[in-house]
């Protein structure tokens, strides 16, 4: 019994070290995704950034719980092991929920982006909506796209007057390069012709899929920790009764 308890204790200790590393990994991954797409908050909406925020919080909790589990394993404290198991169970539920939410929201990306971006086009270059204007310029310049589905979408905006597109749509940016480009015969050569929804949606879906996989994967690994913690708690109780 003593040998088995020590074996389980060391396994749980090693698991908690790996668990702490996974918590840090989760924080870094969620932080990177949060930073990458916070620029496009006007288009994505708050719900698409809620999953990374949840995982950042869970990652911090994981790190703290892993430390708690290490202390419980070293001290062979039954109460700490039971508490550790409960915490792992709650974290498991949160990560599983976050992973599923990220995957489900992944299927709504196209519709949400299309709706939000058509609305945001009407606010381009409007006083009081400077943030929307900047977001459009950053996205069109970085993603190499123009408009929602294509550059002709800008014709239906107040900014365009039916003929203009933002300068950020131009392949070779110069001040005023977007003037009268919708009616220009060489518009297809001088402008980004791909719409922003297909390009941005493809990126978001890929990142959401990876993120969901990481979250669910770590969640199921935690089941091993719960089993180890319960076994150690049982072994500790057995050693108390045998005394």
């Amino acid at each position: 019994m003593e040998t088995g308890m020590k074996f389980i204790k060391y396994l749980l200790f090693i698991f908690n070290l790996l668990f702490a590393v996974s918590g840090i990994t989760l924080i870094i991954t969620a932080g990177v995704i949060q930073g990458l797409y916070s620029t496009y908050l006007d288009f994505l909406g708050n719900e698409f950034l809620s999953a990374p925020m949840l995982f950042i919080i869970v990652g911090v909790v994981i790190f703290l719980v892993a430390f708690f589990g290490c202390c419980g394993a070293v001290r062979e404290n039954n109460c700490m092991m039971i508490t550790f198991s409960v915490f792992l169970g709650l974290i498991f539920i949160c990560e599983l929920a976050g992973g599923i939410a990220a995957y489900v929201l992944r299927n709504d990306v196209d519709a949400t982006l299309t709706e939000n971006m058509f609305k945001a086009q009407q606010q381009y270059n409007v006083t009081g909506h400077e943030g929307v204007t900047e977001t459009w310029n950053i996205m069109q310049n970085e993603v190499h796209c123009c408009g929602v589905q294509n550059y002709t979408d800008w014709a239906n905006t107040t900014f365009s007057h039916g003929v203009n597109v933002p300068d950020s749509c131009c392949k070779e940016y110069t001040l005023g390069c977007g003037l009268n480009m919708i009616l220009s015969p060489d518009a297809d050569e001088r402008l980004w012709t791909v719409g922003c929804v297909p390009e941005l949606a493809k990126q978001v879906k890929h990142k959401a899929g990876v993120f969901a996989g990481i979250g669910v994967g770590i969640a199921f690994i935690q089941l091993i920790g719960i089993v180890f913690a319960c076994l150690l708690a049982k072994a500790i109780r057995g050693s108390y009764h045998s005394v």
Side-chain angles (χ1 to χ4, degrees):
M1 174 68 72
E2 185 68 25
T3 303
M5 186 167 67
K6 284 185 178 180
F7 179 70
I8 297 173
K9 181 177 72 173
Y10 291 136
L11 281 178
L12 185 59
F13 184 80
I14 293 172
F15 169 81
N16 276 295
L17 291 179
L18 296 175
F19 193 40
V21 172
S22 72
I24 295 173
T25 302
L26 203 59
I27 294 170
I28 293 174
T29 303
V32 168
I33 292 177
Q34 178 81 8
L36 284 174
Y37 292 107
S38 60
T39 303
Y40 306 132
L41 183 60
D42 292 311
F43 303 148
L44 290 171
N46 290 317
E47 63 271 20
F48 282 95
L49 296 179
S50 60
M53 282 301 299
L54 173 62
F55 277 117
I56 290 174
I57 295 171
V58 169
V60 173
V61 175
I62 283 176
F63 186 80
L64 297 175
V65 170
F67 178 76
F68 185 82
C70 286
C71 293
V74 171
R75 297 179 62 182
E76 298 182 8
N77 187 294
N78 178 61
C79 181
M80 292 182 74
M81 285 295 93
I82 296 298
T83 305
F84 175 67
S85 299
V86 172
F87 280 145
L88 277 186
L90 293 174
I91 293 171
F92 171 80
I93 294 172
C94 288
E95 285 185 335
L96 197 60
I100 293 173
Y103 187 80
V104 171
L105 288 172
R106 178 174 175 266
N107 298 323
D108 299 331
V109 169
D110 291 277
T112 301
L113 281 177
T114 300
E115 180 182 354
N116 291 343
M117 289 171 72
F118 270 126
K119 290 179 180 178
Q121 267 194 319
Q122 303 302 323
Q123 299 171 344
Y124 186 86
N125 209 36
V126 174
T127 303
H129 295 283
E130 289 78 8
V132 174
T133 302
E134 183 179 1
T135 299
W136 266 111
N137 288 334
I138 291 174
M139 181 179 60
Q140 292 183 145
N141 183 59
E142 292 184 352
V143 182
H144 294 171
C145 60
C146 184
V148 181
Q149 299 297 339
N150 56 63
Y151 68 87
T152 60
D153 295 329
W154 285 106
N156 300 317
T157 65
T158 304
F159 157 79
S160 172
H161 299 294
V163 294
N164 303 321
V165 298
D167 294 342
S168 54
C169 282
C170 298
K171 293 180 180 179
E172 295 184 9
Y173 175 84
T174 56
L175 188 62
C177 64
L179 295 176
N180 301 311
M181 284 303 300
I182 291 179
L183 301 180
S184 175
D186 59 348
D188 287 348
E189 297 177 5
R190 297 175 59 184
L191 300 178
W192 302 116
T193 56
V194 178
C196 293
V197 165
E199 291 298 307
L200 187 57
K202 181 169 65 176
Q203 294 183 22
V204 172
K205 287 179 181 179
H206 174 70
K207 294 293 191 303
V210 171
F211 193 55
I214 291 174
V216 173
I218 292 177
F220 278 103
I221 291 174
Q222 288 172 211
L223 288 177
I224 301 173
I226 295 174
V227 172
F228 284 161
C230 291
L231 288 174
L232 181 57
K234 182 178 179 181
I236 292 171
R237 285 199 306 272
S239 66
Y240 288 160
H241 294 321
S242 62
V243 175

